[in-house]
Amino acid sequence: MKPTDEPDAPAWGQLRDGLTLDALQEAVEKSGYPLQSTIFQLLEQDFRVQQEWGFRDRLSGEMRSIDLVARRELEHTPPQESRIRPTLTVMIECKQSNLPYVFFSTSPAPWKLDLPTICGLGIKEVVVTTDDNPSSWHFSVSEALDLTLHPFHKVEGFSIVSKCARKGPRLELSGIDAYNGIVMPLISAATHFIEASRPPTTAHWFDAYLVCAVAVVDAPMIVATNNSSGVKLEARPWCRLFRHEPKDLGEFLGEAGRHLAVDVVHKDFAAQYFTDHLLPFAEYFREGALRNHEVLATGEGFIEGHEFNPESLRDFLKPKAGHGS
């Protein structure tokens, strides 16, 4: 039966205190749960999707949940042939609003991103040596696999996002709403997953997770840019937001901090985003991870001196065992 305000209806379906079915319907539609269900149905054919995935907030320590976590095991070889099992993991927060999200300050992709990232390995970087130089070079796993050269990784983005809110007959912008509703939960959930996926020191085989953060919104998405005639407004279906945060004191290159990317995607573009952009990036990761599974498992790689190019590594990396000293 449908909920009703009829007085003789069963108690479990009777609306009280003047509540109408139309008001209840409107509240549910505005809540964002229908959008979450829509994205779940979109992804469940190709991903294992968990709703309301729980995590511990990195700042407050409180238990929270994110709308969806989607996992896709990428094609891999048997354990006797590879020590790495690559998996794509996507943290997803869904937001619904009649009022727009506005993005400011276009920004080129930072030279190094800490999100998307690869976790689940026993190492955080790959140390590369050659046969014609006593030096060693340290690269993040993303750099060692040339993920930083992939078009998905090099997308330009924005450094500021605000959400419109009504103030009487006018609109005003609130960066706090966008930060608390999108950026904070996604980064906290990703941070928790990265820490929780750390393997034991005795591990021989590893799950290598490519972790990305995505907000799917059912709201207008507007880019605001300045030009000689004033502010220009443009609608877009996908905007990448770059978030800069400090590193812990004492970390190497701590003054540079870290950059994290959150993709904000309109619900009507979500299928295209996953199919045409994110999944090809994940496939590129899979190919590099399986080709260099021993390097990722040990954190040590070797390149012939005449082939060494710090800007492109994955096709030349070899396990260090048996090479050099």
Side-chain angles (χ1 to χ4, degrees), residues 47-115:
F47 291 82
R48 289 185 292 110
V49 188
Q50 181 174 341
Q51 300 196 59
E52 300 301 320
W53 185 80
F55 66 94
R56 190 174 299 279
D57 189 276
R58 62 190 179 134
L59 298 182
S60 68
E62 297 178 355
M63 295 300 298
R64 300 185 61 182
S65 64
I66 199 166
D67 289 339
L68 301 167
V69 169
R71 298 182 180 91
R72 179 185 173 107
E73 283 192 11
L74 306 172
E75 184 181 353
H76 58 273
T77 55
Q80 62 269 26
E81 298 178 19
S82 175
R83 296 175 62 183
I84 299 296
R85 181 170 59 182
T87 300
L88 172 63
T89 300
V90 192
M91 306 287 160
I92 304 172
E93 188 75 358
C94 300
K95 293 297 176 185
Q96 184 167 304
S97 173
N98 290 328
L99 299 178
Y101 287 91
V102 184
F103 299 82
F104 301 89
S105 300
T106 57
S107 174
W111 70 276
K112 183 177 181 179
L113 282 173
D114 292 272
L115 186 70

Side-chain angles (χ1 to χ4, degrees), residues 160-321:
I160 301 172
V161 61
S162 293
K163 185 177 181 298
C164 288
R166 296 191 185 277
K167 189 173 184 181
R170 299 180 299 170
L171 293 179
E172 64 177 15
L173 297 178
S174 170
I176 296 297
D177 287 348
Y179 175 75
N180 289 337
I182 290 179
V183 178
M184 183 65 175
L186 282 171
I187 293 180
S188 289
T191 300
H192 179 93
F193 184 89
I194 292 166
E195 293 297 323
S197 65
R198 187 174 298 169
T201 56
T202 56
H204 181 79
W205 290 274
F206 301 91
D207 287 299
Y209 300 102
L210 172 60
V211 181
C212 301
V214 179
V216 179
V217 301
D218 184 4
M221 294 175 53
I222 309 299
V223 171
T225 55
N226 287 320
N227 56 32
S228 58
S229 59
V231 177
K232 177 183 176 182
L233 301 180
E234 176 189 1
R236 292 192 192 176
W238 170 22
C239 294
R240 175 163 292 174
L241 178 66
F242 293 124
R243 168 77 181 171
H244 179 265
E245 295 188 343
K247 288 185 177 180
D248 292 337
L249 294 178
E251 283 194 54
F252 179 65
L253 294 178
E255 72 281 1
R258 63 181 190 145
H259 290 86
L260 309 110
V262 172
D263 281 341
V264 184
V265 179
H266 192 273
K267 74 175 184 68
D268 291 345
F269 188 75
Q272 185 175 343
Y273 169 83
F274 282 100
T275 300
D276 296 344
H277 300 281
L278 183 55
L279 288 180
F281 180 57
E283 174 60 19
Y284 186 73
F285 155 67
R286 182 196 71 84
E287 293 172 353
L290 294 183
R291 185 188 188 285
N292 295 288
H293 69 96
E294 190 69 27
V295 173
L296 297 188
T298 62
E300 296 181 329
F302 175 86
I303 294 180
E304 299 285 347
H306 66 280
E307 295 179 333
F308 180 69
N309 177 1
E311 295 183 357
S312 181
L313 301 173
R314 64 185 255 159
D315 292 337
F316 304 101
L317 277 172
K318 301 173 183 176
K320 185 178 180 181

